[in-house]
Amino acid sequence: MKNSGTYRWTIVALLFFATTINYLDRQVIGLLKPTLEKELSWTESDYSKVVMAFTAAYAIGLLIFGRIIDKIGTKLGYTISIIIWSIAAIFHAAAKTTLGFSIARASLGFGEAGNFPAAIKSVAEWFPKKERALATGIFNSGANIGAVVAPIMVPWILGAYGWEEAFIITGAIGFVWLLFWWFIYELPARKKNLSAAEFQHIHSDNEEEITGASVPWLQLFQYKQTWAFVVGKFLTDPIWWFFLFWLPSYFSSTFALDLKKPSLHLAVLYTCTTIGSIGGGYLSGYFIKKGWTVFKARKTAMLIFAIAVTPIMLARYASDIWVAVFLISLAASAHQAWSANIFTIVSDMFPKKAISSVVGIGGMAGSLGGVLFPYFIGIILDKYKLLGDLNGGYNIIFLVCGFAYLLAWGIIHLLTPKMQKVDL
């Protein structure tokens, strides 16, 4: 590995920055929620509907982009995705009603859906199995960096210019990334100046090259491996949506955190999740290098991370904001570690020509869960707000978060005990 070359890590850097921008753009609205609530007289249920518009479109987009990327390739697919979501992010500035924001969020969700199918497929194209979880963990940590940058950047723009400019400035960043992507990315077989040693290292698993027709969706639903990924995403993705869209409001209402100022608490929380994402990807790769089978390494790592989420149920007893930050940071970090591995099991179990399609199907399931969970959250929080006990509503949500990953792990294990490779 020492002499295998390093160009594949340049690809990971590109994926990392794309994911950072992806999450920066989607996180803006959570930080502007108190401002927009006053501007537009939103209730918690109104806000949940705007979030649901994003996640519903994201679900549809994942299915469509997963298919498109398997057909036209990662380079062009990623390009189309980021153009759509960057334009949509900027369009938020023109929205003046709840309906307008719902349309803008739906457009953003549809465009952003191309990020993970393209990124996961890119990792499979550029990395052998023993490095894929780490590579996925590194690029997936961009989600955390985006969430770290947002609580610092967005309040500053809000205070200096206004909420409209917060959407315009953050949305425009995607076009800068697009220039680097278009001129740097290519498949290893077509990449000029890629060393023979690195090419051999990338293909050391002796997997098939991406050839032949893409696999029909209906065929993919015949396999338990598809359903394992679908169930895992459906049960755990909504928890991450909650961390993104409601934590700023939770800290504001429970601990009187001023969201008009850069937030150290949120920055610390999302910085910790970066460690979880990279560490989670490293751990299963470490187990594989120690001689463990791929399925044992992934399953063991995911069980560890599922258990690490459960202390979030103790957040109800936190009287100090930093105790709450610690408990939620642990859970959010464990989610990102889980995420690095659940994405990677797709490339463990499926040939390259089906990876984006399966990621799209599972991502759609996760987003459907992300549509239903905000609806539940809105009802719970509105009910408890009327009772004068908003914190009690959050306590119920934290209980759900604490159990979701263990349930998901158990179902994944029942469906695919040894994560056998699908023969297409």
Side-chain angles (χ1 to χ4, degrees):
M1 182 175 173
K2 290 182 179 179
N3 299 318
S4 63
T6 60
Y7 193 82
R8 63 193 182 281
W9 299 107
T10 301
I11 301 302
V12 167
L14 280 172
L15 303 178
F16 166 83
F17 284 113
T19 307
T20 298
I21 297 166
N22 188 284
Y23 273 81
L24 173 63
D25 287 343
R26 76 175 68 178
Q27 181 73 348
V28 173
I29 198 167
L31 293 160
L32 295 178
K33 179 173 178 275
T35 300
L36 295 172
E37 281 178 336
K38 294 178 181 177
E39 291 266 345
L40 303 173
S41 301
W42 279 349
T43 64
E44 291 287 350
S45 293
D46 288 332
Y47 179 69
S48 72
K49 290 174 183 176
V50 174
V51 173
M52 286 165 64
F54 174 92
T55 49
Y58 191 74
I60 296 169
L62 278 162
L63 196 63
I64 293 173
F65 268 108
R67 192 66 172 167
I68 288 173
I69 290 164
D70 272 338
K71 281 183 174 292
I72 68 175
T74 46
K75 185 171 185 175
L76 183 56
Y78 225 145
T79 298
I80 294 171
S81 171
I82 201 162
I83 288 174
I84 293 173
W85 100 53
S86 297
I87 291 173
I90 295 170
F91 179 73
H92 281 68
K96 303 300 179 184
T97 64
T98 303
L99 177 60
F101 268 94
S102 296
I103 293 172
R105 293 306 287 178
S107 302
L108 179 70
F110 181 80
E112 288 201 344
N115 185 76
F116 280 97
I120 297 298
K121 189 172 183 117
S122 298
V123 167
E125 290 168 348
W126 276 90
F127 287 86
K129 285 184 179 181
K130 63 189 175 197
E131 292 180 347
R132 286 180 190 171
L134 176 58
T136 301
I138 291 172
F139 91 69
N140 192 46
S141 70
N144 318 318
I145 299 301
V148 169
V149 172
I152 298 170
M153 182 178 180
V154 173
W156 177 80
I157 298 174
L158 174 64
Y161 302 105
W163 65 264
E164 293 94 340
E165 285 76 5
F167 286 114
I168 293 170
I169 293 172
T170 54
I173 298 173
F175 292 106
V176 178
W177 176 88
L178 185 57
L179 293 173
F180 289 92
W181 172 256
W182 190 254
F183 289 105
I184 291 176
Y185 189 84
E186 192 50 87
L187 288 172
R190 301 175 188 167
K191 188 64 186 176
K192 296 179 180 179
N193 302 322
L194 181 68
S195 71
E198 185 164 14
F199 183 86
Q200 291 172 2
H201 178 76
I202 291 167
H203 297 90
S204 58
D205 293 320
N206 295 318
E207 288 187 299
E208 91 297 346
E209 287 299 308
I210 304 174
T211 57
S214 57
V215 183
W217 274 325
L218 291 179
Q219 183 179 343
L220 293 172
F221 282 106
Q222 297 174 10
Y223 302 106
K224 290 182 179 180
Q225 289 90 333
T226 301
W227 287 104
F229 184 64
V230 165
V231 172
K233 295 290 283 182
F234 179 80
L235 291 174
T236 61
D237 272 16
I239 311 303
W240 182 245
W241 296 123
F242 167 68
F243 291 155
L244 281 181
F245 294 132
W246 264 276
L247 284 186
S249 181
Y250 164 73
F251 284 115
S252 175
S253 61
T254 306
F255 298 103
L257 186 67
D258 187 356
L259 295 180
K260 292 184 179 179
K261 299 177 181 178
S263 173
L264 177 63
H265 304 86
L266 291 173
V268 168
L269 191 157
Y270 292 119
T271 299
C272 289
T273 60
T274 302
I275 299 171
S277 184
I278 298 174
Y282 171 82
L283 183 61
S284 62
Y286 171 78
F287 289 152
I288 292 171
K289 290 178 181 177
K290 294 289 286 185
W292 291 26
T293 59
V294 172
F295 85 87
K296 182 180 178 182
R298 301 276 192 249
K299 289 278 187 71
T300 302
M302 291 172 71
L303 179 59
I304 291 170
F305 306 138
I307 293 170
V309 177
T310 57
I312 197 174
M313 293 185 286
L314 300 176
R316 63 185 302 173
Y317 302 111
S319 57
D320 179 80
I321 188 171
W322 284 110
V323 174
V325 167
F326 170 76
L327 291 172
I328 298 171
S329 294
L330 178 62
S333 299
H335 169 89
Q336 289 298 78
W338 166 279
S339 184
N341 284 275
I342 195 171
F343 273 128
T344 308
I345 68 172
V346 178
S347 61
D348 292 336
M349 297 188 296
F350 288 89
K352 292 178 182 178
K353 64 181 179 180
I355 287 173
S356 287
S357 293
V358 176
V359 169
I361 292 169
M364 180 193 68
S367 294
L368 288 176
V371 172
L372 297 174
F373 198 43
Y375 181 73
F376 166 78
I377 292 170
I379 292 173
I380 292 293
L381 294 184
D382 276 339
K383 177 181 178 180
Y384 276 83
K385 185 180 284 187
L386 288 174
L387 295 174
D389 183 24
L390 188 60
N391 199 37
Y394 280 110
N395 292 339
I396 293 174
I397 297 165
F398 287 143
L399 285 173
V400 174
C401 295
F403 283 114
Y405 296 82
L406 286 173
L407 177 61
W409 187 92
I411 295 173
I412 290 171
H413 183 65
L414 287 173
L415 288 171
T416 56
K418 294 188 178 182
M419 291 168 44
Q420 294 93 339
K421 185 87 172 183
V422 172
D423 182 9
L424 296 175

